[in-house]
Amino acid sequence: MASPSSRFDTIDVQRINVREPDGTLRLAIANHARIPGVIIGGKEYPNPNRTEAGMIFYNDQGDENGGLVFDGGLKNRVPANGGSLTFDRWRQDQTLQLVSLENGTDRRVGVQVNDRPDTTLTSPHSVAGMR
């Protein structure tokens, strides 16, 4: 049976969750206020470093797997801008990142490759660092 569909000219939302039929979260599209923290092993951990809006990608188990985030504007009367497309290691942080950052005259653009430890972000020392 076909699923019902709808057509809209404009949809105003703060967050959209895309889920598998079993409820597993696969994608979250959100504004800054509603963007999720880090989700690993079915638990959400606050991420004080996540100040952007954008899309967060999740793997088959619903763990964070990367994202496309952006922010910008005048901060302390200085132009600031940022964007990042990231790919994460299994239950870890970014391993590959396409990034563009600007803070006044300080600018950085490039591809960043990060080596991550074999421990997961949910190990005791890593969780403490996310708070």
Side-chain angles (χ1 to χ4, degrees):
M1 179 160 104
S3 298
S5 62
S6 299
R7 295 181 65 102
F8 302 93
D9 290 328
T10 302
I11 300 173
D12 288 323
V13 299
Q14 294 186 41
R15 180 167 162 175
I16 297 171
N17 290 335
V18 176
R19 297 185 181 274
E20 294 293 342
D22 68 0
T24 302
L25 183 62
R26 292 306 301 264
L27 171 70
I29 303 171
N31 65 16
H32 168 272
R34 298 291 310 271
I35 201 158
V38 177
I39 299 175
I40 296 177
K43 183 172 181 189
E44 184 172 352
Y45 300 90
N47 187 339
N49 299 322
R50 185 169 287 160
T51 60
E52 312 88 357
M55 297 187 292
I56 306 297
F57 310 123
Y58 300 92
N59 64 20
D60 294 345
Q61 287 73 42
D63 294 336
E64 185 171 327
N65 206 31
L68 174 63
V69 295
F70 54 92
D71 67 356
L74 288 176
K75 296 182 181 179
N76 298 321
R77 293 186 269 162
V78 174
N81 188 40
S84 177
L85 172 62
T86 61
F87 301 91
D88 298 350
R89 184 168 181 209
W90 169 261
R91 293 192 169 179
Q92 243 306 336
D93 211 347
Q94 301 132 0
T95 55
L96 180 62
Q97 182 177 22
L98 179 62
V99 64
S100 175
L101 300 172
E102 174 184 11
N103 188 2
T105 58
D106 182 22
R107 295 182 203 106
R108 182 176 67 148
V109 176
V111 175
Q112 186 169 324
V113 178
N114 303 301
D115 187 21
R116 299 291 180 192
D118 289 336
T119 59
T120 69
L121 284 177
T122 56
S123 65
H125 76 280
S126 294
V127 172
M130 286 193 289
R131 292 185 185 137

